[in-house]
Amino acid sequence: MASGDSNRIEARIDREMEGLAGSKADLVDALEVWEDGRRRKSALFLLTCLGLGAAPHVLHLGPWPALAAALLMAPRLLAAVRVQQHQPGIAQGDADASQRPSLDVLVAARDEVAVVDRLVDNMMALDCSAVDLQLWVVNDASTDGTREALERLSAVHPRLNVLHRQPGEGGGKSGALNALLPGLRGDWLMVLDADAQLAPDLFNRLAPSLRHAPGALQLRKAVLNPDHNLFTRFQALEMAFDAQVQRGRLLNGGVGELRGNGELIRRELLLRCGGFNEGTITDDLDLSFRLHLSGVPIDLIWNPPVCEEAVTGVRALWRQRQRWAEGGLQRFFDYWPALLGRRLQPSRRNDIVTYFVVQYALPMMGIGDLATALVRNALPLMWPFSLLVLLTSSGAIYSALSAPNEGPPLPRPHPLVVVSGLLYLLHWFVVIPLVSFRMALRPKRLVWVKTLHEGLAVSA
């Protein structure tokens, strides 16, 4: 896009964003968001979980409370083991192939010179005969040559629209994506990371779903570089496991969740939900709750997946997981009044409570249980619940690795692979408590730590 055209689009977006701001404020009030008191809420969460872990010892209740919790939550957790081919909400046929859905693909790029050429080349090579597609890339104050690369690419590709944000504009990835919203005209928008790669026929295969899906879709995430090292192999397994769990949740009347890369949302529904929240460090998780509380379902597409680079080192992995854990907890703290109200159907509310307990409360309760057991020279009492989570997670890993996979190769569903993958997933039992303690002790600071994309060689 020429410089003059880019300036005109930026001016139009600035004008229209003024009208969007008021609707966001109205939506926040309507959803009963409680954003204040982060440290108090975190401390209450910590003390409650630690107390629940210690209570069976102090009250001499034995393992029965944990067994009761396991029996109560078992049906929902076992669903992730059972599901194989089910893909909720995905259209299987199409009676009106003449209607072409319009789609805007959005990418927020900050210092992505290593991968932006590959992204644009991939997008421009896709078969888009069944959709009307435009690609939008926001250069979010890059300093590494991303701006120059995008200007060069936009001069070659008419469907590539480029906007530039200046340093200090704020909002992180959410702010960059919101800068595009008033300029979009497509029925749907799709959010991609700068390292994303899509199958050549993805949009033609998606077209029936875009015509018929009621709200939002999430492509299964896959790893481009699974063979780079041990960490990338485990991340490939983890992404498949996460998608398998989501399939189980949807099969059992629960909720799906957006994962940032490869999410598709009807544009008018996103605007109704206030756009992307600039007050969170995990825009995808926050938006998932906003959509559900507004009555918008989120479904999962298993094949074809969206591929992305896995981080290759311990330090990068640790920083990434801390950000995910903090954003995941923050959304529960912010939206709990609405989540426990009447906005959600009972099955969806029960699903959210179940996975909040398993993902966030269980690691903290385990610390309370273990610490009390050591002080009293006794055995831990939460083992029935912990054993259920470990067994169902193992089954979900096996099912995920056994499912048809159109992305880069996944590990074989061998018992040793399942056990090693389960041991890898236990790192969350370290990340969650440490992040919880930090949130209880430190004031909220919005630090959008981007994942470094290296442009590594990818698997065939």
Side-chain angles (χ1 to χ4, degrees), residues 39-287:
R39 281 186 288 183
R40 292 194 301 272
K41 289 181 284 187
S42 301
L44 179 61
F45 166 73
L46 282 174
L47 293 174
T48 301
C49 292
L50 292 174
L52 289 173
H57 294 274
V58 176
L59 300 177
H60 305 289
L61 299 176
W64 300 111
L67 180 60
L71 293 175
L72 183 65
M73 298 185 180
R76 292 196 174 275
L77 299 180
L78 287 170
V81 180
R82 297 196 312 268
V83 63
Q84 287 293 331
Q85 304 300 325
H86 187 66
Q87 292 189 359
I90 304 305
Q92 299 299 318
D94 186 17
D96 187 11
S98 62
Q99 183 182 358
R100 298 176 69 212
S102 54
L103 174 68
D104 291 303
V105 178
L106 280 57
V107 181
R110 173 175 291 182
D111 295 335
E112 299 287 9
V113 71
V115 295
V116 70
D117 279 88
R118 187 180 69 188
L119 168 75
V120 173
D121 288 344
N122 173 250
M123 292 297 303
M124 296 305 158
L126 300 180
D127 183 353
C128 299
S129 56
V131 297
D132 182 8
L133 182 140
Q134 290 288 318
L135 174 61
W136 298 79
V137 182
V138 183
N139 163 42
D140 193 13
S142 299
T143 59
D144 69 338
T146 299
R147 180 188 183 105
E148 292 76 16
L150 287 172
E151 290 179 346
R152 169 176 50 81
L153 291 165
S154 65
V156 178
H157 302 291
R159 283 189 294 149
L160 172 59
N161 305 278
V162 177
L163 283 155
H164 300 290
R165 292 221 305 166
Q166 303 303 315
E169 290 195 41
K173 178 182 177 182
S174 297
L177 295 175
N178 281 334
L180 289 172
L181 293 184
L184 306 182
R185 295 295 178 264
D187 302 320
W188 287 78
L189 62 85
M190 180 182 197
V191 179
L192 292 179
D193 288 345
D195 62 328
Q197 295 284 280
L198 302 176
D201 61 346
L202 180 132
F203 288 119
N204 287 346
R205 293 170 62 181
L206 270 181
S209 295
L210 298 181
R211 277 186 278 271
H212 304 299
L217 301 167
Q218 173 63 53
L219 303 182
R220 173 174 63 92
K221 297 208 313 183
V223 166
L224 276 171
N225 53 329
D227 296 327
H228 183 78
N229 60 26
L230 186 63
F231 290 112
T232 60
R233 284 194 289 274
F234 278 135
Q235 288 170 77
L237 179 149
E238 183 180 19
M239 287 184 182
F241 164 75
D242 174 71
Q244 178 72 13
V245 170
Q246 287 211 58
R247 291 207 293 178
R249 295 176 70 174
L250 289 165
L251 179 65
N252 213 30
V255 303
E257 293 186 325
L258 301 176
R259 289 294 181 255
N261 192 17
E263 61 189 35
L264 295 110
I265 312 148
R266 286 192 180 274
R267 180 173 59 87
E268 68 272 18
L269 296 179
L270 176 66
L271 294 177
R272 188 189 306 168
C273 290
F276 298 95
N277 185 0
E278 298 180 19
T280 179
I281 57 174
T282 49
D283 57 280
D284 49 349
L285 300 180
D286 182 274
L287 180 57

Side-chain angles (χ1 to χ4, degrees), residues 84 233-234 236-241 244 247 302 394-405 409-421:
Q84 287 293 331
R233 284 194 289 274
F234 278 135
L237 179 149
E238 183 180 19
M239 287 184 182
F241 164 75
Q244 178 72 13
R247 291 207 293 178
W302 184 267
S394 299
I397 292 172
Y398 188 90
S399 296
L401 299 183
S402 302
N405 169 41
L410 288 169
R412 292 176 52 219
H414 189 276
L416 290 178
V417 173
V418 172
V419 171
S420 61

Side-chain angles (χ1 to χ4, degrees), residues 73 76 249 253-254 339 344-357:
M73 298 185 180
R76 292 196 174 275
R249 295 176 70 174
L339 293 172
L344 292 174
Q345 297 175 359
S347 63
R348 294 187 174 188
R349 184 168 57 247
N350 294 339
D351 173 84
I352 287 175
V353 170
T354 296
Y355 280 91
F356 171 76
V357 171

